[in-house]
Amino acid sequence: MDELRAQLQEVFREVFDDEEIALRDEMTGNDIEGWDSLMHLNLIIAVESRFGVKFATSEISNLRNDGENVGSMVSLLAKKLGRG
Amino acid sequence: MCGYLDEIQEVARKEFGLTEGSFIKNRKLFGRAWEQEFDSFLRAAFVDGAEYRKALTGYTTYIVDVMRQLVAFQKDGTYAPLTYEEATHKVYQNEDRMMNEYLPGHLISQFLWVHHYRHLLFFRTFFLRDMALSADQRFHDVGVGTGFYSSVILNGLPGARGHGWDLSPHSLKFTERLLSRFGTAERYTSHLSDILTAPDIEPLPFVVSVEVLEHLEDPLTFLIGLRKMVAPGGKAFITAALNSPHEDHVYHYRTELDVLDQVRAAGFHVENAFSAYAYPPTKRSPLVPSVEAVIVTT
C-alpha cells in the first residue's frame, strides 16, 4: 500500500471508528458498514482536513455515483495533491 | 405505479449519488403512501429531466453546505455571525441562486428530509384537518419560501384561498409557478411586502409560517406581527429550525423550549407541538438539526 492509501486508510478508520478497515480500491459504500450519505460527507471533510485539499460539491456528490469506489477517491485526491 | 419517482431515483443513483440514500431510506421509512405522494408531486412540480436535475443539484448543494457548517457547529455549538441583510444579499435577492438552486433544492427536501416529511404529516393531521372542517378556509402564508405549504393547503382544500407574503420576489415567483403547475394559482394572491409594515392586513382564520423564524434577527417582533394576522378564534401553524447552521440562518434556537417560550411571549397559546430530528445523534455529530412545529391560537 502506498503512502497516500495508507493515510487515507487512517482517515477511514478514524471516521468510521473501525480499526479493522483494510482499504482496497474496489471498495464501495456497500463494503463499509455505515457508509451512507451523512458519513460520506463526514469522510470528505476529514479527508480535506487531513490532506489540506478542498472538494467541490459536484466532486463530493460524484464520488457517490454508481460505479465509483475508493479508487476514484484515491485518483481524485492524488490529482489534487499533484501526484496524479 | 411510481414510474416518475423510479426514474428520478435512477438518475440520482447515476448522477447525484449523494442524494440516492434519502430516496432509499424514506421508501423504507414511510412506505407506499410516501412513494405515491412524492411521485404525484414530482410529476407536477418538475415536469422534465432538466427541472428535476436542477432540484437534485440544489438539494446536493444544500446538504453539502449544511454538513460543512454542521462540522464547524459541533465544535462550539454556535452559528457563524450573520445579519438578515447579509443573508438577503447573498441568497434571497439572488435570482439565479434562488430559482435554480436554493428553492428547487428546498422544495425536494420536503420529501427527502425525514424531519421535513414528518412535519408535513403532522401538519396534515392536526392543522389541515381543522381547516377542512372550517366554513372559512382563507389563510395567510408568511415567508412562503418555495410555496410548498401553500400548495399543500390549496391542493387539499378546494375551498381554500390564500395570501402569500415574502420579501423575496423570487420566492413569490417560484411559488406562483408551483401553484400554476397544480392549477391552484387563481385562488392565491402574492404580496411582496413586510407584514410588520404593510397597512390594513385582514386577519384570517388560518396562518402558516414555516421555517421563517430562524432567518430573522428579531423573531419575537415578527411573531407579534404574525399574531395580528390571526382572526379571533383562528389558529396558526409555525415552525422553526433548531441547531441547523446554514448560510442564511441568523437566529439560533437551541431547544424546543426556546421556540415554545418565544411563541408564548408573543401572546399565542400553544395547542399542539411536534419535534422531528434529521437523524439520530452520533459520536461525531451529537448536535442534530431538528424542526419544532407548533399549532397555536390567540
Side-chain angles (χ1 to χ4, degrees), chain A residues 11 14 42-55, chain B residues 68 71 75 284:
Chain A
V11 177
E14 186 192 325
N42 274 317
L43 178 66
I44 292 293
I45 290 164
V47 170
E48 287 180 337
S49 174
R50 173 66 177 262
F51 292 95
V53 297
K54 183 95 172 171
F55 291 93
Chain B
R68 284 195 184 283
V71 168
K75 290 173 187 159
R284 296 184 76 86

Side-chain angles (χ1 to χ4, degrees), chain B residues 74-94:
Chain B
Q74 301 297 334
K75 290 173 187 159
D76 63 3
T78 61
Y79 290 178
L82 179 75
T83 65
Y84 178 79
E85 198 57 39
E86 288 166 341
T88 294
H89 181 70
K90 191 175 172 188
V91 185
Y92 315 136
Q93 301 299 332
N94 182 336

Side-chain angles (χ1 to χ4, degrees), chain A residues 14-15 17 37-38 40-41 45 48 54-55 57 60-62 64-66, chain B residues 13-18 21 60-61 63-64 67-68 71 279 283-285:
Chain A
E14 186 192 325
V15 169
D17 198 19
S37 299
L38 187 61
H40 180 70
L41 285 163
I45 290 164
E48 287 180 337
K54 183 95 172 171
F55 291 93
T57 297
I60 296 170
S61 182
N62 290 343
R64 289 282 294 178
N65 288 354
D66 193 34
Chain B
R13 187 175 71 84
K14 290 179 176 166
E15 301 174 27
F16 301 89
L18 205 55
T60 300
T61 304
I63 56 179
V64 169
M67 278 304 299
R68 284 195 184 283
V71 168
Y279 47 81
K283 198 168 81 178
R284 296 184 76 86
S285 304

Side-chain angles (χ1 to χ4, degrees), chain B residues 113-131:
Chain B
W113 274 48
V114 169
H115 56 317
H116 280 176
Y117 189 67
R118 286 199 167 124
H119 272 279
L120 176 60
L121 298 179
F122 174 73
F123 175 77
R124 282 234 180 78
T125 306
F126 294 102
F127 193 82
L128 202 60
R129 181 198 61 183
D130 283 358
M131 283 191 78

Side-chain angles (χ1 to χ4, degrees), chain A residues 10-21 39, chain B residues 283-284:
Chain A
E10 278 180 31
V11 177
F12 268 76
R13 287 177 174 181
E14 186 192 325
V15 169
F16 290 99
D17 198 19
D18 181 357
E19 287 301 313
E20 303 296 311
I21 289 175
M39 287 304 283
Chain B
K283 198 168 81 178
R284 296 184 76 86

Side-chain angles (χ1 to χ4, degrees), chain B residues 181-196:
Chain B
R181 296 272 171 87
F182 285 106
T184 59
E186 76 282 358
R187 290 187 278 128
Y188 201 72
T189 306
S190 297
H191 304 267
L192 180 61
S193 186
D194 186 340
I195 62 153
L196 297 179

Side-chain angles (χ1 to χ4, degrees), chain B:
Chain B
M1 294 291 289
C2 296
Y4 203 49
L5 173 60
D6 293 342
E7 175 187 324
I8 295 172
Q9 184 173 338
E10 182 62 8
V11 169
R13 187 175 71 84
K14 290 179 176 166
E15 301 174 27
F16 301 89
L18 205 55
T19 69
E20 193 207 1
S22 300
F23 287 84
I24 295 169
K25 184 165 71 176
N26 286 4
R27 277 186 190 263
K28 282 183 188 163
L29 200 56
F30 300 115
R32 198 71 186 147
W34 178 86
E35 291 177 331
Q36 289 174 339
E37 186 186 4
F38 194 21
D39 184 83
S40 299
F41 180 81
L42 290 166
R43 285 175 193 277
F46 306 108
V47 296
D48 56 30
E51 287 202 355
Y52 66 64
R53 279 182 171 82
K54 200 182 281 184
L56 289 170
T57 302
Y59 181 66
T60 300
T61 304
Y62 175 66
I63 56 179
V64 169
D65 180 56
V66 165
M67 278 304 299
R68 284 195 184 283
Q69 297 197 40
L70 262 175
V71 168
F73 177 65
Q74 301 297 334
K75 290 173 187 159
D76 63 3
T78 61
Y79 290 178
L82 179 75
T83 65
Y84 178 79
E85 198 57 39
E86 288 166 341
T88 294
H89 181 70
K90 191 175 172 188
V91 185
Y92 315 136
Q93 301 299 332
N94 182 336
E95 181 172 9
D96 180 50
R97 183 78 209 288
M98 287 289 275
M99 298 302 284
N100 295 316
E101 201 173 79
Y102 184 93
L103 293 171
H106 266 65
L107 186 57
I108 207 169
S109 82
Q110 300 299 331
F111 287 90
L112 291 179
W113 274 48
V114 169
H115 56 317
H116 280 176
Y117 189 67
R118 286 199 167 124
H119 272 279
L120 176 60
L121 298 179
F122 174 73
F123 175 77
R124 282 234 180 78
T125 306
F126 294 102
F127 193 82
L128 202 60
R129 181 198 61 183
D130 283 358
M131 283 191 78
L133 295 172
S134 173
D136 186 350
Q137 298 177 346
R138 291 177 301 155
F139 68 96
H140 290 295
D141 184 350
V142 184
V144 295
T146 62
F148 179 71
Y149 273 79
S150 285
S151 78
V152 170
I153 296 171
L154 295 169
N155 291 344
L157 305 175
R161 304 189 77 85
H163 290 265
W165 300 80
D166 210 290
L167 296 176
S168 167
H170 315 306
S171 271
L172 292 171
K173 184 178 161 191
F174 192 87
T175 295
E176 285 162 8
R177 191 177 70 186
L178 181 68
L179 300 184
S180 295
R181 296 272 171 87
F182 285 106
T184 59
E186 76 282 358
R187 290 187 278 128
Y188 201 72
T189 306
S190 297
H191 304 267
L192 180 61
S193 186
D194 186 340
I195 62 153
L196 297 179
T197 54
D200 304 324
I201 300 175
E202 182 188 5
L204 296 179
F206 298 98
V207 171
V208 169
S209 187
V210 175
E211 291 191 50
V212 175
L213 300 179
E214 66 274 14
H215 297 263
L216 307 174
E217 291 174 22
D218 181 7
L220 178 58
T221 298
F222 171 80
L223 283 165
I224 291 168
L226 205 62
R227 188 171 178 273
K228 292 176 186 164
M229 298 174 79
V230 184
K235 58 180 61 181
F237 177 83
I238 303 166
T239 78
L242 281 63
N243 295 317
S244 305
H246 197 40
E247 61 178 337
D248 61 341
H249 287 184
V250 175
Y251 192 95
H252 181 192
Y253 292 97
R254 289 170 170 80
T255 70
E256 291 80 1
L257 204 55
D258 289 349
V259 180
L260 294 172
D261 285 347
Q262 202 171 62
V263 163
R264 287 183 178 122
F268 284 113
H269 166 72
V270 177
E271 184 181 276
N272 205 340
F274 176 72
S275 313
Y277 287 74
Y279 47 81
T282 64
K283 198 168 81 178
R284 296 184 76 86
S285 304
L287 293 169
V288 178
S290 66
V291 178
E292 179 73 5
V294 291
I295 294 173
V296 295
T297 60
T298 56

